Amino acid sequence: SAVISQKPSRDICQRGTSLTIQCQVDSQVTMMFWYRQQPGQSLTLIATANQGSEATYESGFVIDKFPISRPNLTFSTLTVSNMSPEDSSIYLCSVGGGQPNQPQHFGDGTRLSIL
Amino acid sequence: KQEVTQIPAALSVPEGENLVLNCSFTDSAIYNLQWFRQDPGKGLTSLLLIQSSQREQTSGRLNASLDKSSGRSTLYIAASQPGDSATYLCAVRRGGDYKLSFGAGTTVTVRA
């Protein structure tokens, strides 16, 4: 399975600032996703990162707040903009799942705390 | 909209006992179902994937069953060990896209 590296692994940020999270995969992948896991809750899909085009956002998530880049088939970034304490979460990158027998795999996540 | 429910929310067992974790989903038109393990503060580790055409999958001490028509999956962990302590998440992928709908998870504690 693909090896997924996320940076940073954790950060503490001031409210009103922005943070960019990087996701690097050791092989080319078609499908790449960004999820959020708020404290004590399960995962919610933020968006699908599309290579060469704009990301596809889920209901409740907008590009101005969570801009995503996907410059190639091995790399993506998620920016959390104008952060507030409500953005304190684990943000996870995921790849795979293109075929029925292909699982999705996740990075270790970025634990973000906003003061 | 696909709703995924996991019962119980938490489970504590003595070492050696078998674990039974339940997952139910509302829309039976699924592409596949995946079970994950999450350790505190960490990402997700994929344990098993069951395709919609399959009834079960096995990996070592883990066995997952799928009854698509009734919207249920069960994860069995045999002879539990303290190292099995974690949160177990069930995720369903619907046909037509790649999105996973997650349950809230079952937090397992195996007592030595």
Side-chain angles (χ1 to χ4, degrees), chain B residues 32-52:
Chain B
N32 60 38
L33 183 147
Q34 223 174 319
W35 282 94
F36 294 91
R37 168 186 173 136
Q38 185 175 31
D39 292 288
K42 299 292 187 182
L44 276 65
T45 300
S46 179
L47 297 174
L48 289 168
L49 178 144
I50 310 177
Q51 298 177 56
S52 63

Side-chain angles (χ1 to χ4, degrees), chain A residues 10 31 33 35 37 41-43 45 58 90 92 96-109 111, chain B residues 6 31-32 34 36 38 40-46 49-51 89 93-94 98-105:
Chain A
R10 58 175 59 226
M31 310 303 299
F33 309 92
Y35 286 83
Q37 186 176 31
Q41 300 195 22
S42 194
L43 281 75
L45 180 64
E58 296 301 301
I90 300 175
L92 299 112
Q99 301 298 326
N101 62 344
Q102 184 185 39
Q104 282 195 19
H105 294 284
F106 286 76
D108 282 341
R111 181 182 288 272
Chain B
Q6 290 187 249
Y31 198 62
N32 60 38
Q34 223 174 319
F36 294 91
Q38 185 175 31
K42 299 292 187 182
L44 276 65
T45 300
S46 179
L49 178 144
I50 310 177
Q51 298 177 56
L89 295 161
R93 178 183 159 187
R94 65 189 187 199
Y98 300 95
K99 303 171 188 177
L100 291 180
S101 297
F102 280 85

Side-chain angles (χ1 to χ4, degrees), chain A residues 53-74:
Chain A
S53 64
E54 198 169 279
T56 304
Y57 290 84
E58 296 301 301
S59 175
F61 298 96
V62 295
I63 187 171
D64 289 347
K65 176 67 176 178
F66 298 101
I68 289 170
S69 77
R70 179 89 190 270
N72 55 53
L73 293 177
T74 64

Side-chain angles (χ1 to χ4, degrees), chain B residues 57-84:
Chain B
Q57 277 287 340
T58 298
S59 176
R61 294 184 295 112
L62 277 60
N63 174 275
S65 66
L66 174 65
D67 184 343
K68 201 172 67 164
S69 61
S70 67
R72 294 180 183 177
S73 177
T74 303
L75 178 67
Y76 301 90
I77 303 177
S80 61
Q81 304 168 358
D84 294 328

